[in-house]
Amino acid sequence: MSVEMSIEKPLVITVDGPGGVGKGTISLLLSNKLGLNYLDSGALYRVLGLSAKKKGISFSDENSLGAEASKLDISFGTEDPDLGVRVILDGEDVTADIRTEDAGSAASKVAAVPAVREALLQRQRDFEINPGVVADGRDMGTTVFPDAPLKIFLIASAEERAKRRYLQLTNKGLREKEDSVSIRTLQSKIQREIEERDRRDSERSASPLRAADNAVTIDTTEMVIDEVISTVLNLVKDRSLGKM
Ligand code: DC
């Protein structure tokens, strides 16, 4: 399936939802299948959290965080089979560094700062170039691309998301140090982290995590990746957005 090149507006598909639901995997696969660009908006917040930590900027120093966000020297490289799209900060490959749960938690904290969101808004909108983009995040459908013709909101139980996140982290070797701890304990720890992050992302005043009014919500708790992909591709087809 591919999207027809046209002089019309680029096609934007937004994929929002809570942590660990599989947005990244689904969005990357969709973008490949449809020949669209991919925006991993969470990576921007993760990189900012990392950069702030490196520079000793406090997460409560809103002015400095906003300034740091507007001058962030970040670029996206080629796709890594395990880690996804490579992320470069100040010329350094930080792809693995930003994928830890700590980096996720730091990202969620800096993401609650309105000046940060404001500074990163245009950078995200710049991804709307032909033939289009699959944009993954928390507020893609509500704030960044409110006019997108297809908005997906993925959900899954917290337990299932903790399981997926656990598998994702262990696949990437990021949890090696904790191998001796039982899987059950580790998953519960991840579940607590995920739930805390959900709470922070949903309760903040600036662009909270929520489904856009016209989003299609898909509960993926009992679904495998292929089922989610075909559900979304059917929506693309039904709305005559892509060409088989
Ligand atoms: O999708 P992710 O786990 O990489 O996102 C990390 C954090 O960044 C997430 O907890 C909240 C924040 N985020 C956000 O506030 N808005 C987005 N569009 C994407 C991520």
Side-chain angles (χ1 to χ4, degrees), residues 200-239:
R200 195 182 300 116
D201 294 345
S202 310
E203 288 175 1
R204 68 180 178 224
S205 57
S207 285
L209 163 68
R210 69 168 182 82
D213 293 338
N214 53 353
V216 179
T217 297
I218 305 174
D219 186 343
T220 70
T221 309
E222 308 276 338
M223 292 168 92
V224 295
I225 292 170
D226 280 354
E227 290 174 307
V228 183
I229 294 288
S230 23
T231 306
V232 180
L233 289 179
N234 281 335
L235 289 164
V236 171
K237 203 171 136 205
D238 290 349
R239 296 181 184 199

PDB file of all heavy atoms in Angstrom, residues 200-239:
ATOM      1  N   ARG A 200       0.844  11.563  35.411  1.00  0.00           N
ATOM      2  CA  ARG A 200       1.453  12.874  35.173  1.00  0.00           C
ATOM      3  C   ARG A 200       1.068  13.397  33.783  1.00  0.00           C
ATOM      4  O   ARG A 200       0.698  14.549  33.622  1.00  0.00           O
ATOM      5  CB  ARG A 200       2.973  12.771  35.302  1.00  0.00           C
ATOM      6  CG  ARG A 200       3.635  14.124  35.441  1.00  0.00           C
ATOM      7  CD  ARG A 200       5.146  14.031  35.509  1.00  0.00           C
ATOM      8  NE  ARG A 200       5.647  13.254  36.613  1.00  0.00           N
ATOM      9  CZ  ARG A 200       6.336  12.122  36.494  1.00  0.00           C
ATOM     10  NH1 ARG A 200       6.611  11.621  35.311  1.00  0.00           N
ATOM     11  NH2 ARG A 200       6.769  11.478  37.554  1.00  0.00           N
ATOM     12  N   ASP A 201       1.122  12.511  32.782  1.00  0.00           N
ATOM     13  CA  ASP A 201       0.824  12.936  31.405  1.00  0.00           C
ATOM     14  C   ASP A 201      -0.650  13.320  31.236  1.00  0.00           C
ATOM     15  O   ASP A 201      -0.976  14.180  30.420  1.00  0.00           O
ATOM     16  CB  ASP A 201       1.177  11.818  30.408  1.00  0.00           C
ATOM     17  CG  ASP A 201       2.680  11.529  30.358  1.00  0.00           C
ATOM     18  OD1 ASP A 201       3.451  12.358  30.864  1.00  0.00           O
ATOM     19  OD2 ASP A 201       3.076  10.475  29.829  1.00  0.00           O
ATOM     20  N   SER A 202      -1.538  12.667  31.994  1.00  0.00           N
ATOM     21  CA  SER A 202      -2.970  12.947  31.839  1.00  0.00           C
ATOM     22  C   SER A 202      -3.427  14.134  32.662  1.00  0.00           C
ATOM     23  O   SER A 202      -4.395  14.805  32.313  1.00  0.00           O
ATOM     24  CB  SER A 202      -3.809  11.751  32.280  1.00  0.00           C
ATOM     25  OG  SER A 202      -3.349  10.595  31.678  1.00  0.00           O
ATOM     26  N   GLU A 203      -2.738  14.374  33.773  1.00  0.00           N
ATOM     27  CA  GLU A 203      -3.229  15.420  34.691  1.00  0.00           C
ATOM     28  C   GLU A 203      -2.605  16.787  34.455  1.00  0.00           C
ATOM     29  O   GLU A 203      -3.055  17.771  35.026  1.00  0.00           O
ATOM     30  CB  GLU A 203      -3.001  14.983  36.141  1.00  0.00           C
ATOM     31  CG  GLU A 203      -3.954  13.855  36.533  1.00  0.00           C
ATOM     32  CD  GLU A 203      -3.701  13.292  37.924  1.00  0.00           C
ATOM     33  OE1 GLU A 203      -2.778  13.786  38.615  1.00  0.00           O
ATOM     34  OE2 GLU A 203      -4.421  12.349  38.296  1.00  0.00           O
ATOM     35  N   ARG A 204      -1.564  16.867  33.614  1.00  0.00           N
ATOM     36  CA  ARG A 204      -0.928  18.175  33.406  1.00  0.00           C
ATOM     37  C   ARG A 204      -1.905  19.102  32.666  1.00  0.00           C
ATOM     38  O   ARG A 204      -2.808  18.629  31.952  1.00  0.00           O
ATOM     39  CB  ARG A 204       0.382  18.020  32.628  1.00  0.00           C
ATOM     40  CG  ARG A 204       0.143  17.577  31.216  1.00  0.00           C
ATOM     41  CD  ARG A 204       1.435  17.417  30.425  1.00  0.00           C
ATOM     42  NE  ARG A 204       1.127  16.949  29.103  1.00  0.00           N
ATOM     43  CZ  ARG A 204       1.780  15.999  28.462  1.00  0.00           C
ATOM     44  NH1 ARG A 204       2.807  15.398  29.015  1.00  0.00           N
ATOM     45  NH2 ARG A 204       1.424  15.655  27.239  1.00  0.00           N
ATOM     46  N   SER A 205      -1.681  20.428  32.826  1.00  0.00           N
ATOM     47  CA  SER A 205      -2.621  21.351  32.187  1.00  0.00           C
ATOM     48  C   SER A 205      -2.273  21.578  30.712  1.00  0.00           C
ATOM     49  O   SER A 205      -3.157  21.790  29.887  1.00  0.00           O
ATOM     50  CB  SER A 205      -2.645  22.685  32.939  1.00  0.00           C
ATOM     51  OG  SER A 205      -1.344  23.205  32.970  1.00  0.00           O
ATOM     52  N   ALA A 206      -0.971  21.505  30.370  1.00  0.00           N
ATOM     53  CA  ALA A 206      -0.573  21.767  28.978  1.00  0.00           C
ATOM     54  C   ALA A 206      -0.682  20.495  28.143  1.00  0.00           C
ATOM     55  O   ALA A 206       0.054  19.529  28.373  1.00  0.00           O
ATOM     56  CB  ALA A 206       0.858  22.300  28.932  1.00  0.00           C
ATOM     57  N   SER A 207      -1.586  20.484  27.165  1.00  0.00           N
ATOM     58  CA  SER A 207      -1.735  19.351  26.241  1.00  0.00           C
ATOM     59  C   SER A 207      -1.718  17.998  26.942  1.00  0.00           C
ATOM     60  O   SER A 207      -0.845  17.171  26.664  1.00  0.00           O
ATOM     61  CB  SER A 207      -0.611  19.372  25.205  1.00  0.00           C
ATOM     62  OG  SER A 207      -0.835  20.352  24.270  1.00  0.00           O
ATOM     63  N   PRO A 208      -2.662  17.746  27.847  1.00  0.00           N
ATOM     64  CA  PRO A 208      -2.651  16.441  28.530  1.00  0.00           C
ATOM     65  C   PRO A 208      -2.927  15.283  27.576  1.00  0.00           C
ATOM     66  O   PRO A 208      -3.474  15.496  26.491  1.00  0.00           O
ATOM     67  CB  PRO A 208      -3.788  16.581  29.550  1.00  0.00           C
ATOM     68  CG  PRO A 208      -4.681  17.629  28.998  1.00  0.00           C
ATOM     69  CD  PRO A 208      -3.812  18.571  28.230  1.00  0.00           C
ATOM     70  N   LEU A 209      -2.522  14.102  28.023  1.00  0.00           N
ATOM     71  CA  LEU A 209      -2.803  12.897  27.245  1.00  0.00           C
ATOM     72  C   LEU A 209      -4.311  12.665  27.239  1.00  0.00           C
ATOM     73  O   LEU A 209      -4.924  12.461  28.283  1.00  0.00           O
ATOM     74  CB  LEU A 209      -2.110  11.691  27.920  1.00  0.00           C
ATOM     75  CG  LEU A 209      -2.593  10.300  27.516  1.00  0.00           C
ATOM     76  CD1 LEU A 209      -2.210  10.004  26.070  1.00  0.00           C
ATOM     77  CD2 LEU A 209      -1.996   9.241  28.432  1.00  0.00           C
ATOM     78  N   ARG A 210      -4.897  12.725  26.067  1.00  0.00           N
ATOM     79  CA  ARG A 210      -6.311  12.359  25.932  1.00  0.00           C
ATOM     80  C   ARG A 210      -6.625  12.123  24.458  1.00  0.00           C
ATOM     81  O   ARG A 210      -5.920  12.634  23.580  1.00  0.00           O
ATOM     82  CB  ARG A 210      -7.254  13.402  26.548  1.00  0.00           C
ATOM     83  CG  ARG A 210      -7.315  14.714  25.822  1.00  0.00           C
ATOM     84  CD  ARG A 210      -8.483  15.583  26.323  1.00  0.00           C
ATOM     85  NE  ARG A 210      -8.564  16.826  25.572  1.00  0.00           N
ATOM     86  CZ  ARG A 210      -9.141  16.957  24.387  1.00  0.00           C
ATOM     87  NH1 ARG A 210      -9.698  15.916  23.781  1.00  0.00           N
ATOM     88  NH2 ARG A 210      -9.157  18.128  23.764  1.00  0.00           N
ATOM     89  N   ALA A 211      -7.682  11.361  24.217  1.00  0.00           N
ATOM     90  CA  ALA A 211      -8.064  11.094  22.831  1.00  0.00           C
ATOM     91  C   ALA A 211      -8.742  12.328  22.266  1.00  0.00           C
ATOM     92  O   ALA A 211      -9.539  12.974  22.954  1.00  0.00           O
ATOM     93  CB  ALA A 211      -9.029   9.916  22.792  1.00  0.00           C
ATOM     94  N   ALA A 212      -8.428  12.675  21.012  1.00  0.00           N
ATOM     95  CA  ALA A 212      -9.142  13.769  20.344  1.00  0.00           C
ATOM     96  C   ALA A 212     -10.593  13.334  20.177  1.00  0.00           C
ATOM     97  O   ALA A 212     -10.878  12.136  20.102  1.00  0.00           O
ATOM     98  CB  ALA A 212      -8.511  14.033  18.977  1.00  0.00           C
ATOM     99  N   ASP A 213     -11.511  14.296  20.129  1.00  0.00           N
ATOM    100  CA  ASP A 213     -12.936  13.961  20.024  1.00  0.00           C
ATOM    101  C   ASP A 213     -13.214  13.063  18.817  1.00  0.00           C
ATOM    102  O   ASP A 213     -14.080  12.202  18.863  1.00  0.00           O
ATOM    103  CB  ASP A 213     -13.783  15.236  19.902  1.00  0.00           C
ATOM    104  CG  ASP A 213     -13.732  16.034  21.197  1.00  0.00           C
ATOM    105  OD1 ASP A 213     -13.432  15.421  22.252  1.00  0.00           O
ATOM    106  OD2 ASP A 213     -13.966  17.254  21.158  1.00  0.00           O
ATOM    107  N   ASN A 214     -12.500  13.291  17.719  1.00  0.00           N
ATOM    108  CA  ASN A 214     -12.754  12.499  16.510  1.00  0.00           C
ATOM    109  C   ASN A 214     -11.729  11.377  16.306  1.00  0.00           C
ATOM    110  O   ASN A 214     -11.530  10.897  15.197  1.00  0.00           O
ATOM    111  CB  ASN A 214     -12.803  13.406  15.271  1.00  0.00           C
ATOM    112  CG  ASN A 214     -11.559  14.278  15.149  1.00  0.00           C
ATOM    113  OD1 ASN A 214     -10.733  14.302  16.051  1.00  0.00           O
ATOM    114  ND2 ASN A 214     -11.421  14.978  14.039  1.00  0.00           N
ATOM    115  N   ALA A 215     -11.096  10.942  17.404  1.00  0.00           N
ATOM    116  CA  ALA A 215     -10.124   9.845  17.285  1.00  0.00           C
ATOM    117  C   ALA A 215     -10.839   8.494  17.330  1.00  0.00           C
ATOM    118  O   ALA A 215     -11.918   8.367  17.906  1.00  0.00           O
ATOM    119  CB  ALA A 215      -9.114   9.916  18.425  1.00  0.00           C
ATOM    120  N   VAL A 216     -10.220   7.501  16.688  1.00  0.00           N
ATOM    121  CA  VAL A 216     -10.726   6.134  16.779  1.00  0.00           C
ATOM    122  C   VAL A 216      -9.911   5.435  17.864  1.00  0.00           C
ATOM    123  O   VAL A 216      -8.690   5.337  17.759  1.00  0.00           O
ATOM    124  CB  VAL A 216     -10.528   5.379  15.435  1.00  0.00           C
ATOM    125  CG1 VAL A 216     -11.031   3.947  15.543  1.00  0.00           C
ATOM    126  CG2 VAL A 216     -11.206   6.122  14.292  1.00  0.00           C
ATOM    127  N   THR A 217     -10.590   4.992  18.915  1.00  0.00           N
ATOM    128  CA  THR A 217      -9.872   4.322  20.004  1.00  0.00           C
ATOM    129  C   THR A 217      -9.823   2.820  19.743  1.00  0.00           C
ATOM    130  O   THR A 217     -10.838   2.202  19.435  1.00  0.00           O
ATOM    131  CB  THR A 217     -10.560   4.622  21.357  1.00  0.00           C
ATOM    132  OG1 THR A 217     -10.475   6.024  21.595  1.00  0.00           O
ATOM    133  CG2 THR A 217      -9.882   3.884  22.500  1.00  0.00           C
ATOM    134  N   ILE A 218      -8.614   2.261  19.834  1.00  0.00           N
ATOM    135  CA  ILE A 218      -8.454   0.816  19.623  1.00  0.00           C
ATOM    136  C   ILE A 218      -7.881   0.205  20.897  1.00  0.00           C
ATOM    137  O   ILE A 218      -6.782   0.577  21.324  1.00  0.00           O
ATOM    138  CB  ILE A 218      -7.500   0.527  18.430  1.00  0.00           C
ATOM    139  CG1 ILE A 218      -7.988   1.229  17.156  1.00  0.00           C
ATOM    140  CG2 ILE A 218      -7.372  -0.976  18.193  1.00  0.00           C
ATOM    141  CD1 ILE A 218      -7.025   1.106  15.974  1.00  0.00           C
ATOM    142  N   ASP A 219      -8.638  -0.698  21.497  1.00  0.00           N
ATOM    143  CA  ASP A 219      -8.130  -1.392  22.684  1.00  0.00           C
ATOM    144  C   ASP A 219      -7.305  -2.584  22.215  1.00  0.00           C
ATOM    145  O   ASP A 219      -7.840  -3.558  21.671  1.00  0.00           O
ATOM    146  CB  ASP A 219      -9.294  -1.853  23.570  1.00  0.00           C
ATOM    147  CG  ASP A 219      -8.794  -2.456  24.877  1.00  0.00           C
ATOM    148  OD1 ASP A 219      -7.598  -2.815  24.956  1.00  0.00           O
ATOM    149  OD2 ASP A 219      -9.593  -2.568  25.821  1.00  0.00           O
ATOM    150  N   THR A 220      -5.993  -2.506  22.410  1.00  0.00           N
ATOM    151  CA  THR A 220      -5.086  -3.516  21.854  1.00  0.00           C
ATOM    152  C   THR A 220      -4.723  -4.599  22.864  1.00  0.00           C
ATOM    153  O   THR A 220      -3.862  -5.437  22.577  1.00  0.00           O
ATOM    154  CB  THR A 220      -3.778  -2.854  21.343  1.00  0.00           C
ATOM    155  OG1 THR A 220      -3.030  -2.391  22.490  1.00  0.00           O
ATOM    156  CG2 THR A 220      -4.061  -1.695  20.416  1.00  0.00           C
ATOM    157  N   THR A 221      -5.381  -4.578  24.046  1.00  0.00           N
ATOM    158  CA  THR A 221      -4.993  -5.519  25.110  1.00  0.00           C
ATOM    159  C   THR A 221      -4.905  -6.956  24.597  1.00  0.00           C
ATOM    160  O   THR A 221      -3.959  -7.682  24.901  1.00  0.00           O
ATOM    161  CB  THR A 221      -5.979  -5.454  26.299  1.00  0.00           C
ATOM    162  OG1 THR A 221      -6.120  -4.087  26.682  1.00  0.00           O
ATOM    163  CG2 THR A 221      -5.494  -6.278  27.474  1.00  0.00           C
ATOM    164  N   GLU A 222      -5.901  -7.346  23.799  1.00  0.00           N
ATOM    165  CA  GLU A 222      -5.950  -8.744  23.336  1.00  0.00           C
ATOM    166  C   GLU A 222      -5.484  -8.874  21.878  1.00  0.00           C
ATOM    167  O   GLU A 222      -5.753  -9.885  21.246  1.00  0.00           O
ATOM    168  CB  GLU A 222      -7.398  -9.262  23.412  1.00  0.00           C
ATOM    169  CG  GLU A 222      -8.088  -9.072  24.753  1.00  0.00           C
ATOM    170  CD  GLU A 222      -7.752 -10.188  25.729  1.00  0.00           C
ATOM    171  OE1 GLU A 222      -7.357 -11.267  25.255  1.00  0.00           O
ATOM    172  OE2 GLU A 222      -7.862  -9.951  26.943  1.00  0.00           O
ATOM    173  N   MET A 223      -4.860  -7.846  21.339  1.00  0.00           N
ATOM    174  CA  MET A 223      -4.510  -7.901  19.908  1.00  0.00           C
ATOM    175  C   MET A 223      -3.013  -8.086  19.694  1.00  0.00           C
ATOM    176  O   MET A 223      -2.206  -7.594  20.487  1.00  0.00           O
ATOM    177  CB  MET A 223      -4.935  -6.584  19.206  1.00  0.00           C
ATOM    178  CG  MET A 223      -6.434  -6.385  19.115  1.00  0.00           C
ATOM    179  SD  MET A 223      -6.848  -4.689  18.603  1.00  0.00           S
ATOM    180  CE  MET A 223      -6.956  -4.877  16.843  1.00  0.00           C
ATOM    181  N   VAL A 224      -2.649  -8.750  18.587  1.00  0.00           N
ATOM    182  CA  VAL A 224      -1.239  -8.803  18.211  1.00  0.00           C
ATOM    183  C   VAL A 224      -0.979  -7.642  17.240  1.00  0.00           C
ATOM    184  O   VAL A 224      -1.919  -7.053  16.704  1.00  0.00           O
ATOM    185  CB  VAL A 224      -0.836 -10.161  17.574  1.00  0.00           C
ATOM    186  CG1 VAL A 224      -0.973 -11.286  18.578  1.00  0.00           C
ATOM    187  CG2 VAL A 224      -1.657 -10.461  16.325  1.00  0.00           C
ATOM    188  N   ILE A 225       0.302  -7.354  17.025  1.00  0.00           N
ATOM    189  CA  ILE A 225       0.683  -6.188  16.214  1.00  0.00           C
ATOM    190  C   ILE A 225      -0.008  -6.183  14.844  1.00  0.00           C
ATOM    191  O   ILE A 225      -0.566  -5.170  14.423  1.00  0.00           O
ATOM    192  CB  ILE A 225       2.219  -6.125  16.047  1.00  0.00           C
ATOM    193  CG1 ILE A 225       2.856  -5.811  17.405  1.00  0.00           C
ATOM    194  CG2 ILE A 225       2.629  -5.069  15.028  1.00  0.00           C
ATOM    195  CD1 ILE A 225       4.351  -5.952  17.443  1.00  0.00           C
ATOM    196  N   ASP A 226       0.008  -7.355  14.173  1.00  0.00           N
ATOM    197  CA  ASP A 226      -0.579  -7.423  12.826  1.00  0.00           C
ATOM    198  C   ASP A 226      -2.050  -7.037  12.802  1.00  0.00           C
ATOM    199  O   ASP A 226      -2.536  -6.457  11.841  1.00  0.00           O
ATOM    200  CB  ASP A 226      -0.435  -8.840  12.254  1.00  0.00           C
ATOM    201  CG  ASP A 226       0.972  -9.058  11.712  1.00  0.00           C
ATOM    202  OD1 ASP A 226       1.734  -8.073  11.696  1.00  0.00           O
ATOM    203  OD2 ASP A 226       1.292 -10.198  11.329  1.00  0.00           O
ATOM    204  N   GLU A 227      -2.770  -7.403  13.874  1.00  0.00           N
ATOM    205  CA  GLU A 227      -4.205  -7.069  13.931  1.00  0.00           C
ATOM    206  C   GLU A 227      -4.398  -5.561  14.057  1.00  0.00           C
ATOM    207  O   GLU A 227      -5.300  -4.995  13.450  1.00  0.00           O
ATOM    208  CB  GLU A 227      -4.873  -7.764  15.126  1.00  0.00           C
ATOM    209  CG  GLU A 227      -4.997  -9.270  14.952  1.00  0.00           C
ATOM    210  CD  GLU A 227      -5.526  -9.944  16.216  1.00  0.00           C
ATOM    211  OE1 GLU A 227      -4.953  -9.721  17.299  1.00  0.00           O
ATOM    212  OE2 GLU A 227      -6.508 -10.673  16.112  1.00  0.00           O
ATOM    213  N   VAL A 228      -3.541  -4.937  14.844  1.00  0.00           N
ATOM    214  CA  VAL A 228      -3.652  -3.477  15.013  1.00  0.00           C
ATOM    215  C   VAL A 228      -3.353  -2.798  13.681  1.00  0.00           C
ATOM    216  O   VAL A 228      -4.086  -1.910  13.237  1.00  0.00           O
ATOM    217  CB  VAL A 228      -2.686  -2.959  16.110  1.00  0.00           C
ATOM    218  CG1 VAL A 228      -2.874  -1.462  16.330  1.00  0.00           C
ATOM    219  CG2 VAL A 228      -2.887  -3.709  17.415  1.00  0.00           C
ATOM    220  N   ILE A 229      -2.280  -3.265  13.029  1.00  0.00           N
ATOM    221  CA  ILE A 229      -1.900  -2.678  11.738  1.00  0.00           C
ATOM    222  C   ILE A 229      -3.036  -2.825  10.728  1.00  0.00           C
ATOM    223  O   ILE A 229      -3.418  -1.862  10.062  1.00  0.00           O
ATOM    224  CB  ILE A 229      -0.615  -3.363  11.171  1.00  0.00           C
ATOM    225  CG1 ILE A 229       0.590  -3.075  12.067  1.00  0.00           C
ATOM    226  CG2 ILE A 229      -0.332  -2.922   9.735  1.00  0.00           C
ATOM    227  CD1 ILE A 229       1.113  -1.670  12.014  1.00  0.00           C
ATOM    228  N   SER A 230      -3.629  -4.043  10.645  1.00  0.00           N
ATOM    229  CA  SER A 230      -4.691  -4.167   9.632  1.00  0.00           C
ATOM    230  C   SER A 230      -5.921  -3.347   9.993  1.00  0.00           C
ATOM    231  O   SER A 230      -6.591  -2.824   9.097  1.00  0.00           O
ATOM    232  CB  SER A 230      -5.075  -5.598   9.292  1.00  0.00           C
ATOM    233  OG  SER A 230      -4.772  -6.455  10.284  1.00  0.00           O
ATOM    234  N   THR A 231      -6.210  -3.190  11.275  1.00  0.00           N
ATOM    235  CA  THR A 231      -7.339  -2.329  11.672  1.00  0.00           C
ATOM    236  C   THR A 231      -7.101  -0.905  11.172  1.00  0.00           C
ATOM    237  O   THR A 231      -7.991  -0.269  10.590  1.00  0.00           O
ATOM    238  CB  THR A 231      -7.490  -2.321  13.216  1.00  0.00           C
ATOM    239  OG1 THR A 231      -7.589  -3.662  13.661  1.00  0.00           O
ATOM    240  CG2 THR A 231      -8.708  -1.537  13.653  1.00  0.00           C
ATOM    241  N   VAL A 232      -5.878  -0.406  11.372  1.00  0.00           N
ATOM    242  CA  VAL A 232      -5.590   0.972  10.955  1.00  0.00           C
ATOM    243  C   VAL A 232      -5.584   1.077   9.422  1.00  0.00           C
ATOM    244  O   VAL A 232      -6.137   2.015   8.854  1.00  0.00           O
ATOM    245  CB  VAL A 232      -4.241   1.473  11.541  1.00  0.00           C
ATOM    246  CG1 VAL A 232      -3.962   2.900  11.093  1.00  0.00           C
ATOM    247  CG2 VAL A 232      -4.257   1.402  13.057  1.00  0.00           C
ATOM    248  N   LEU A 233      -4.990   0.064   8.750  1.00  0.00           N
ATOM    249  CA  LEU A 233      -4.953   0.119   7.282  1.00  0.00           C
ATOM    250  C   LEU A 233      -6.365   0.091   6.697  1.00  0.00           C
ATOM    251  O   LEU A 233      -6.633   0.742   5.687  1.00  0.00           O
ATOM    252  CB  LEU A 233      -4.116  -1.032   6.716  1.00  0.00           C
ATOM    253  CG  LEU A 233      -2.602  -0.919   6.944  1.00  0.00           C
ATOM    254  CD1 LEU A 233      -1.873  -2.126   6.356  1.00  0.00           C
ATOM    255  CD2 LEU A 233      -2.029   0.374   6.349  1.00  0.00           C
ATOM    256  N   ASN A 234      -7.276  -0.627   7.365  1.00  0.00           N
ATOM    257  CA  ASN A 234      -8.671  -0.630   6.895  1.00  0.00           C
ATOM    258  C   ASN A 234      -9.290   0.754   7.023  1.00  0.00           C
ATOM    259  O   ASN A 234     -10.059   1.180   6.164  1.00  0.00           O
ATOM    260  CB  ASN A 234      -9.506  -1.650   7.679  1.00  0.00           C
ATOM    261  CG  ASN A 234      -9.260  -3.060   7.163  1.00  0.00           C
ATOM    262  OD1 ASN A 234      -8.872  -3.236   6.005  1.00  0.00           O
ATOM    263  ND2 ASN A 234      -9.461  -4.049   8.016  1.00  0.00           N
ATOM    264  N   LEU A 235      -8.953   1.442   8.089  1.00  0.00           N
ATOM    265  CA  LEU A 235      -9.473   2.807   8.270  1.00  0.00           C
ATOM    266  C   LEU A 235      -8.922   3.731   7.182  1.00  0.00           C
ATOM    267  O   LEU A 235      -9.630   4.574   6.632  1.00  0.00           O
ATOM    268  CB  LEU A 235      -9.091   3.350   9.657  1.00  0.00           C
ATOM    269  CG  LEU A 235      -9.829   2.706  10.840  1.00  0.00           C
ATOM    270  CD1 LEU A 235      -9.120   3.001  12.154  1.00  0.00           C
ATOM    271  CD2 LEU A 235     -11.259   3.243  10.902  1.00  0.00           C
ATOM    272  N   VAL A 236      -7.621   3.538   6.861  1.00  0.00           N
ATOM    273  CA  VAL A 236      -6.987   4.347   5.812  1.00  0.00           C
ATOM    274  C   VAL A 236      -7.733   4.125   4.495  1.00  0.00           C
ATOM    275  O   VAL A 236      -8.066   5.064   3.770  1.00  0.00           O
ATOM    276  CB  VAL A 236      -5.491   3.965   5.652  1.00  0.00           C
ATOM    277  CG1 VAL A 236      -4.875   4.620   4.423  1.00  0.00           C
ATOM    278  CG2 VAL A 236      -4.709   4.347   6.900  1.00  0.00           C
ATOM    279  N   LYS A 237      -8.053   2.841   4.239  1.00  0.00           N
ATOM    280  CA  LYS A 237      -8.746   2.483   3.005  1.00  0.00           C
ATOM    281  C   LYS A 237     -10.178   3.029   3.001  1.00  0.00           C
ATOM    282  O   LYS A 237     -10.617   3.664   2.039  1.00  0.00           O
ATOM    283  CB  LYS A 237      -8.761   0.947   2.884  1.00  0.00           C
ATOM    284  CG  LYS A 237      -8.940   0.447   1.480  1.00  0.00           C
ATOM    285  CD  LYS A 237      -8.712  -1.048   1.475  1.00  0.00           C
ATOM    286  CE  LYS A 237      -9.781  -1.713   0.634  1.00  0.00           C
ATOM    287  NZ  LYS A 237     -10.009  -3.101   1.005  1.00  0.00           N
ATOM    288  N   ASP A 238     -10.891   2.801   4.108  1.00  0.00           N
ATOM    289  CA  ASP A 238     -12.288   3.264   4.200  1.00  0.00           C
ATOM    290  C   ASP A 238     -12.407   4.769   3.968  1.00  0.00           C
ATOM    291  O   ASP A 238     -13.397   5.255   3.453  1.00  0.00           O
ATOM    292  CB  ASP A 238     -12.873   2.969   5.591  1.00  0.00           C
ATOM    293  CG  ASP A 238     -13.088   1.477   5.782  1.00  0.00           C
ATOM    294  OD1 ASP A 238     -12.988   0.736   4.804  1.00  0.00           O
ATOM    295  OD2 ASP A 238     -13.355   1.071   6.939  1.00  0.00           O
ATOM    296  N   ARG A 239     -11.397   5.492   4.406  1.00  0.00           N
ATOM    297  CA  ARG A 239     -11.469   6.948   4.268  1.00  0.00           C
ATOM    298  C   ARG A 239     -10.798   7.422   2.979  1.00  0.00           C
ATOM    299  O   ARG A 239     -10.540   8.613   2.804  1.00  0.00           O
ATOM    300  CB  ARG A 239     -10.801   7.614   5.468  1.00  0.00           C
ATOM    301  CG  ARG A 239     -11.539   7.313   6.746  1.00  0.00           C
ATOM    302  CD  ARG A 239     -10.935   7.960   7.952  1.00  0.00           C
ATOM    303  NE  ARG A 239     -11.665   7.520   9.153  1.00  0.00           N
ATOM    304  CZ  ARG A 239     -11.655   8.135  10.308  1.00  0.00           C
ATOM    305  NH1 ARG A 239     -10.966   9.254  10.453  1.00  0.00           N
ATOM    306  NH2 ARG A 239     -12.337   7.665  11.328  1.00  0.00           N
TER     307      ARG A 239
END
